[in-house]
Amino acid sequence: SQMGVGLALGFTLMALIFGLEWGAGWLAVRGFAWQRQPIIALLGTLLGYLVFYLLVAFNEELAFRGYLLQNLCSDWGSLISLLASSLLFGLLHGLNPHFTPLGLVGIALAGVVMAYGYFISRSLWLPIAFHFSWNFAQGPLFSFPVSGLVSEGVFIIEWKEASPFLTGGAFGPEGGLIGVAALLLGLLLLWLWSKRRA
């Protein structure tokens, strides 16, 4: 169930971002990937992305929420450890193209969501599943840039004039206010889930 919660949360939040930007007229859907390439090639590409983003989620969660967060907790307590590990997680993405100060805020906030997911579930499965589904929905499905990395997904998108401050521009949703708002909503939903479990 923890994996299910993580998978559903990442996909739902990214679908909300996509729907909001589409509804606001900041992006237009011009078609779908299977109109440009054979379906077997598309499935092969998606499978490659699936493996890639699973590895990213596993490795980053083991490093940040598995090793770093848990080791800091023994010395500094939960809150400081959550903030410190999340800030480091954000700073690590500073090497990515099109990084902005708001991108740092967004990635660090994603780190907070995943650390909180770990604390309420006491397992890395929830943050791994969330990390994977957020990235996989973001790039391979909805065709947003993933933390500055261009991704051609299932949707063929034409970007309209919109403030990068809102949408994140070339960095992707984490670099904009809409992505930050979606991550805050994710925190709220995880809190509600933990209360229901309790």
Side-chain angles (χ1 to χ4, degrees), residues 47-63 128 131-132 135-136:
L47 184 64
Y49 275 130
L50 186 94
V51 172
F52 173 73
Y53 283 117
L54 271 175
L55 289 172
V56 168
F58 262 104
N59 288 328
E60 291 190 356
E61 291 315 300
L62 283 174
I128 286 170
H131 195 150
F132 164 74
N135 281 351
F136 189 77

Side-chain angles (χ1 to χ4, degrees), residues 5 116-122 126 186-198:
V5 168
Y116 183 65
Y118 166 73
F119 282 136
I120 61 173
S121 66
R122 282 292 155 197
L126 196 160
L187 269 180
L188 175 65
L189 291 171
L190 283 176
W191 178 76
L192 291 170
W193 177 73
S194 71
K195 287 283 168 265
R196 224 186 96 210
R197 269 178 102 210

